[in-house]
Amino acid sequence: MAAGREHFGSSTAATLAMAGSAIGLGNIWRFPYMVGEHGGAVFIVVYLLSALLLSLPIMLSEAVIGKATHAGTFGAMERLAPGSRWKWLGLLTVVTPMIILSYYSVVGGWSLRFFGEAMARGFDAGAESFFGRFIASAWGPLVCHTLFLALTAGIVLGGVKSGIERFNKISLPLLFALMLVLMGYSLSLPGSRAGVAYLLRPDFSKLSPSLVAAAMGQSFFSLSLGVGTILTYASYMKKEDSILRTGIGTAGFDLLFALIAGFVIMPAVFAAGIQPDAGPGLIFETLPFIFAKMGAGAAWLSRAVSILFFFSIVIAALTSSISMFEVGVAYLVEERKMSRTGAVLLLFVLTWSLGALCSLSFGPLSGTRILGERIFDLCDRMTSDYLMTFGSLLFVLFAGWKMDRARVRSELGGDGRLFGVLYFLIRYVAPLAIVAIFISNLIL
Ligand code: PFF
């Protein structure tokens, strides 16, 4: 291990950090609306299969590379394949999370604004248009983006152990408890059972190639794959910690969280008699409206629920955004020999600037299109449809074909049969499936 390099205090701490990276807006914001757009339970079935057969092997590949080298993405490639073109993968996975962070922080900022609104006034019947009006303005979203990014930078500045580890240790259990309370509330609403059935009864006639590609893409996004966050966090694990346990724990928590978020949102959506396919605006436009509507009887309760809900989203978003920020910091500190403070400042300025353009692309810059897309959508699509899949492909190819099998085996641990299955998934199944997603993203 490089001298002076920090590491997580225990394997539980590493699992919490990775789970923190995985659990985020992807679970609470993206998963429910994707389920709603793709017909409910059938999407969940494909998602579960893809998490198990595809995402888990990719995550383990990434983690093996990080733990074997105890270096960030760029350094890991340099150590395992010195002087080769693989270093470009290292560089790609420094740039991708910075792009994701830029627009992620904008949505994190929206969550902060909604949390503030829930605290200050609560949502009334005009809640639906609140979102539209808010994102179309220039200053409000920009200020919230700045605040969210500053919170992220502040935590990362604290370091791996006293910043990232400590924040995740407190916030993840809290988040879990909050989501369970919210689920209880949603399930208690009259008419919520239709939402439960929607999540549990698959309608296989809705199965289609685009649904499969979307479910796979969602599971990549949700587990933060192909962007070096898992690699970087694994590089902070101690030699004796088990990747297999941490990886399975992370994937399990992430899945559980997505399902709980589904059971928070869909029962409420159905109880309010609203269509579940509202798309990305689902939690910002539809939910506040539901909270307002349900509040007719007990205003204080709906107010409390909306406060807890948006607080949960802010926390979940922060546990992910710090993981993205840390990838860039690890690179600048370890490979460019910058101080941690200097690295945090530089990355703050860069991601703030791109994020500001993303934020303004809903307001004053809404007419600006690049490749026919709004700046925010371009960053989102470029990363989740292409760069994450591409990064994931290179990671599995690296662990499956470039690294020595014995090295992978010894880093991964576990019994021989399990290793055999995982290695097969890493070498053959994952690369082929990723190429298939890639092609379908290009043509669908
Ligand atoms: N997994 C995060 C979520 O579900 O919200 C998103 C994410 C985090 C994507 C970190 C990429 C990343 F590097």
Side-chain angles (χ1 to χ4, degrees), residues 9 16 136 148 166 183 216 246 262 264 308 311 334 339 347 376 419 430:
L16 280 179
F148 182 86
R166 207 163 59 181
M183 185 169 81
M216 289 178 174
T246 304
V264 169
L308 290 185
F311 180 67
E334 285 165 16
S339 70
L347 291 174
F376 180 100
F419 176 74

Side-chain angles (χ1 to χ4, degrees), residues 21-27 97 100 104 221-224 227 229 254 320 323-324 388:
S21 170
I23 294 167
L25 295 168
N27 302 61
I100 302 179
Y104 201 87
F221 186 81
S222 193
L223 277 177
S224 321
V227 271
T229 50
D254 185 62
S320 296
S323 73
M324 295 180 235
M388 290 184 94

